Amino acid sequence: MTEALPPAIPAATLVIFRGADLLMVERAKAMAFAGGALVFPGGRVDPGDHALAALLGRDDDETAARIAAIRETIEEAGLPIGLSPIPSPHAFERLRAALHAGRAFGEALTEAGTALDLDALEYFARWRPAHAHARIFDTRFYLARLPADAPAARVDATENVRLLWATAAHILAETDAGRATIIFPTRRNLERLAPFADFEAAVADARAHPVRTVTPWTEQRDGVEHLCIPDDLGYPVTSEPMSDAVRG
């Protein structure tokens, strides 16, 4: 009989491309989850995301996750990903301020004269760890392209303390040199994205590998305990010694 997984918090995140560069945000060290680590912008799927999905006639987990990824990216990084049309700079600032003040996303979108473009996001991966931890997230990862007329990204300075644009290979190199920290799922996704020169190449890879939920497991390999993932989902590295793995 399959062992039941512990409860998980639904979440969503955006991998945003600007040419070959990806947007990363550094979590505040005081945060309970991934404190001090570089992550892609994103966060929890809230009840309001499901409420907005219902208003769109698509009240399902996938739609709510896309809405959450767009909303969280606006809040955390100040980028209008998944909006059509792109609001004026003033209207977008009011939209972001409304979200920070706790306003309903749908109302804020209407006031900004824009609407959601959920098809701007490409479903890339889903990770749902099962280790004993205070918080386990069931996270959907989406790919998106930075709009040509997007404003400069700006960190929210609450959950996150800085942001940077860099290639996946550069982020991995900085981590290996001890100048950055990334958790296990982020490392595996950066390794998968590193070969791609742009958004289109990454989308082609995503479409070539149907999404299946990744739940890492541990096993002994050559006498060393490893944290492992499936080998048929497009990831070039599928295990890492537990002594090296950084978990949220």
Side-chain angles (χ1 to χ4, degrees), residues 102-119:
R103 293 279 305 282
F105 192 16
E107 293 177 4
L109 288 169
T110 299
E111 291 180 1
T114 188
L116 294 171
D117 178 10
L118 300 180
D119 292 335

Side-chain angles (χ1 to χ4, degrees), residues 168-183:
H170 177 78
I171 298 163
L172 289 167
E174 288 292 287
T175 301
D176 291 342
R179 292 188 290 268
T181 300
I182 52 177
I183 61 175

